[in-house]
Amino acid sequence: MDGFFGPQLLHGGKQVATGTLTGRVVGVYFSAHWCPPCREFTPLLSKVYRQAKGKGKSLDIVFLSGDRDEASFNEYFASMPWHAVPFSNPIPKQVLSQTFRVKGIPALVLLDGSGGILDVDAKSTVMMPRFPSTLPREIDVRDIGPGPTDSVEVLVRCRGEEHVVQCEPEEGWELFRMQIFSVTEIPAEKQRLFGLGVPNGPLDSSVTLPRALAGAFAALRGRPLGIADTAGCASSSFGDASPGDAST
């Protein structure tokens, strides 16, 4: 992201390297303190941002200021929980305004982690109730190193019973769900799996099984790997499984 914002950003009252942006979705926020619609939109965007972060979503926002002086910039940015390009570096705002054809403020553009455009006019998108659920989870995209290749022992809990499954990472989710079926008799299409170190929400099968297991090893730090299946149980004794509401 250095090519978009320059080498340094502001965050939490400090200067940080732009490389510290880790979000797989990055919002570019054009705004200014003198602009009444901006002052109305910023608290709404802040609420969405905090909700997404609270759910462990991989989202960053970078403020590009249209303020007329640094004092106004500092006062306005103090109300924001995300990053900003320093007021002393106006080039990114000038270049990106032209790149994204910004006609007025507030304006919000969503990029992927590589700088590709996801939504060039995202103000209404981020206000949709389901927006946080569309974001990738931080735990699924963070750098956790290579996944396991050898068999991994996973404890499956369902209907108050515990079963040990020898998971073969390279065989993927399909075989793993078949193994879960063999001990729980719950068909793969009805399984809702929680755990493996993911604190909120069901496991995402679009994340490869080796990566999911690598994330579990990183998160659990030696504790047993556990999975709960809420198609057959409503709670789990595992500290790494948070089923929430059960489905049938």
Side-chain angles (χ1 to χ4, degrees), residues 11 21-23 25-27 41-62 79-83 108 126-127 131-132 135 138:
H11 187 253
L21 289 177
T22 59
V25 177
V26 178
F41 183 72
T42 294
L44 301 177
L45 182 59
S46 294
K47 183 178 180 180
V48 172
Y49 176 83
R50 289 190 170 99
Q51 287 176 340
K53 286 296 192 181
K55 294 179 179 180
K57 298 296 186 173
S58 185
L59 173 67
D60 282 319
I61 295 178
V62 179
S79 70
M80 302 177 185
W82 43 68
H83 294 74
L108 181 68
V126 299
M127 291 296 111
F131 171 71
L135 298 168
E138 191 68 48

Side-chain angles (χ1 to χ4, degrees), residues 127-140:
M127 291 296 111
M128 296 175 64
R130 66 181 300 272
F131 171 71
S133 68
T134 67
L135 298 168
R137 293 183 297 199
E138 191 68 48
I139 196 170
D140 293 332

